[in-house]
């Protein structure tokens, strides 16, 4: 069996604990630009602390943007593995959200011209953050269990539209700054405790399915949604990601563990790569269910059921 490497980009948001557990040995970094300073985006807080990053992000006076790795950086990463005899499975955040996938495809084309025998597959996950990370984790587990390059690729392409998420955002200020709602609605929503909740659509963006009042109810609805949406939960891993809401994420973990019998629940930060666009205040659970429906028709039915239970 030919050897291969699984190489995701940094937006998979997998903590060291998760990377060590599944054997995620490498990833492609990007950049975050804070005013006039440029930092590498990493799957830790080595360049900036979580508290400082999200505090900086919350201050509207600061200009914070993210950027993917360059074509040259992708090329050099691919080249290093190809020259060692590895096939490369490159996994990227949704192409609808970022240019990362297109950059990887460009680099792979350049490699194929210079190394005709090289095998590189660039996967567009159509997901981001925890939903993308969950695909990476399953791919690495399949590799450890002896699945071939082709088998892992086939499973990912077949199942990437089955990854779901659910959870609230408990601070609407950043959403307003991004122009998704008005400042007035954000202020009133924060004042009365309104929490938007959504699931991934077919492009990987989050579609808001409902809004509930109060964080406790929001977390309870999240768990009910997981319970009714997940398939074969006994054989699944569940990821929980948060953007500077560690205590609430651990509370959600306890609720999930007391409600469903899954293989293991992991909690991870949303690091700076995705955090730049998500903002502070998100707590979300990620899992495998049925294929995402067009216009989230099925997901809306399930969220209504979850609300009725709580």
């Amino acid at each position: 069996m030919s050897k291969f490497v699984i190489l995701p980009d940094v937006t998979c948001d997998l903590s060291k604990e998760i990377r060590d557990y599944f054997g995620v040995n490498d990833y492609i970094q990007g950049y975050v630009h804070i005013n006039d300073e440029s930092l590498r985006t990493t799957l830790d807080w080595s360049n900036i602390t979580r508290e400082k990053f999200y505090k900086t992000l919350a201050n509207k006076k600061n200009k914070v943007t993210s950027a993917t790795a360059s074509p040259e950086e992708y090329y050099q990463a691919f080249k290093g593995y190809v020259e060692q005899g590895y096939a490369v499975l490159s996994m990227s955040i949704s192409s609808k959200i970022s240019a990362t996938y297109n950059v990887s495809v460009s680099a792979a084309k350049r490699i194929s011209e210079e190394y005709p025998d090289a095998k590189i597959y660039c996967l567009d996950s159509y997901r981001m953050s925890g939903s993308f990370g969950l695909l990476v984790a399953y791919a690495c587990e399949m590799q450890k269990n002896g699945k071939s390059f082709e088998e892992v690729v086939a499973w990912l392409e077949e199942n990437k539209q089955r990854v779901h998420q659910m959870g609230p955002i408990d601070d609407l200020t950043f959403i307003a700054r991004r122009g998704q709602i008005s400042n007035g609605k954000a202020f009133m929503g924060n004042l009365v405790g309104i929490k938007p909740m959504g699931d991934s659509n077919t492009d990987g963006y989050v579609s808001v399915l409902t809004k509930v009042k109060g964080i406790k109810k929001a977390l309870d609805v999240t768990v009910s949604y997981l319970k009714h949406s997940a398939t074969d939960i006994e054989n699944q891993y569940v990821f929980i990601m948060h953007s500077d809401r560690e205590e609430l994420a651990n509370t959600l973990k306890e609720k999930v563990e007391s409600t469903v019998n899954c293989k293991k629940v992991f909690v991870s930060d949303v690091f700076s790569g995705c955090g730049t666009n998500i903002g502070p205040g998100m707590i979300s659970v990620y899992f495998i269910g049925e294929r995402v429906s067009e216009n989230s028709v099925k997901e809306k039915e399930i969220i209504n059921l979850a609300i009725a239970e709580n």
Side-chain angles (χ1 to χ4, degrees):
M1 183 180 296
S2 61
K3 59 183 182 179
F4 65 98
V5 62
I6 296 171
L7 191 63
D9 76 72
V10 71
T11 60
C12 61
D13 280 337
L14 298 179
S15 67
K16 187 177 187 304
E17 177 195 9
I18 299 175
R19 299 197 311 275
D20 288 347
Y21 185 93
F22 289 99
V24 183
N25 297 318
D26 196 6
Y27 63 92
I28 300 290
Q29 298 179 4
Y31 297 89
V32 60
H33 305 295
I34 302 175
N35 299 321
D36 297 326
E37 184 180 13
S38 182
L39 303 172
R40 298 307 300 261
T41 49
T42 59
L43 294 176
D44 55 37
W45 296 109
S46 57
N47 293 334
I48 186 172
T49 66
R50 177 210 294 163
E51 293 74 17
K52 182 178 180 181
F53 173 74
Y54 280 108
K55 186 177 180 179
T56 300
L57 198 61
N59 186 342
K60 65 181 181 180
K61 294 181 180 180
N62 294 313
K63 182 180 179 181
V64 185
T65 60
S66 60
T68 185
S70 70
E72 180 65 21
E73 288 170 317
Y74 258 100
Y75 167 78
Q76 292 296 337
F78 290 167
K79 180 180 178 181
Y81 283 111
V82 166
E83 289 185 341
Q84 296 177 65
Y86 285 90
V88 179
L89 170 52
S90 172
M91 299 180 65
S92 302
I93 184 175
S94 172
S95 62
K96 303 294 185 179
I97 297 172
S98 166
T100 306
Y101 171 71
N102 292 327
V103 171
S104 71
V105 170
S106 175
K109 182 179 179 181
R110 182 179 167 191
I111 289 289
S112 66
E113 292 170 351
E114 298 180 15
Y115 301 86
D117 294 330
K119 181 189 291 186
I120 301 177
Y121 189 91
C122 296
L123 180 105
D124 184 349
S125 72
Y126 283 100
R127 291 294 178 268
M128 69 177 293
S129 190
S131 51
F132 173 28
L134 194 62
L135 289 171
V136 175
Y138 280 118
C140 289
E141 183 174 66
M142 291 178 70
Q143 182 186 39
K144 287 198 298 183
N145 290 338
K147 298 298 183 181
S148 68
F149 182 91
E150 290 76 14
E151 287 173 315
V152 174
V153 168
W155 186 91
L156 289 167
E157 291 290 5
E158 178 66 25
N159 291 280
K160 62 187 182 183
Q161 290 289 356
R162 294 180 57 209
V163 184
H164 293 261
Q165 73 175 82
M166 179 50 61
I169 291 181
D170 70 5
D171 185 344
L172 306 184
T173 307
F174 186 83
I175 298 177
R177 283 179 55 201
R178 291 286 178 175
Q180 294 172 284
I181 62 173
S182 69
N183 288 324
K185 286 184 177 180
F187 175 79
M188 292 303 298
N190 287 338
L191 192 66
V192 300
I194 296 298
K195 317 297 180 189
M197 303 179 66
D199 195 352
S200 301
N201 62 24
T202 53
D203 289 338
Y205 285 104
V206 176
S207 296
V208 174
L209 300 182
T210 192
K211 298 173 185 176
V212 303
K213 187 174 181 180
I215 192 63
K216 181 182 182 302
K217 181 172 182 178
L219 296 183
D220 289 341
V221 169
T222 297
V223 176
S224 291
Y225 188 86
L226 164 67
K227 181 178 67 175
H228 291 294
S229 299
T231 56
D232 192 24
I233 190 64
E234 294 82 5
N235 292 309
Q236 279 202 48
Y237 298 101
V238 172
F239 285 1
I240 295 171
M241 307 295 188
H242 69 93
S243 53
D244 200 26
R245 293 296 185 271
E246 185 172 19
E247 184 175 347
L248 287 171
N250 286 324
T251 298
L252 179 57
K253 179 176 185 286
E254 293 173 359
K255 288 178 178 289
V256 169
E257 290 174 333
S258 66
T259 304
V260 300
N261 182 29
C262 61
K263 291 169 78 171
K264 191 172 177 63
V265 183
F266 292 92
V267 174
S268 179
D269 287 89
V270 173
F271 295 100
S272 56
C274 283
T276 300
N277 298 297
I278 291 173
M282 187 203 78
I283 316 102
S284 192
V285 64
Y286 302 85
F287 58 93
I288 301 288
E290 300 293 342
R291 289 184 67 85
V292 175
S293 62
E294 287 296 324
N295 299 316
S296 302
V297 172
K298 183 63 176 178
E299 290 75 17
K300 290 173 184 176
E301 293 176 359
I302 297 173
I303 197 68
N304 288 336
L305 177 60
I307 290 171
E309 289 184 343
N310 294 281

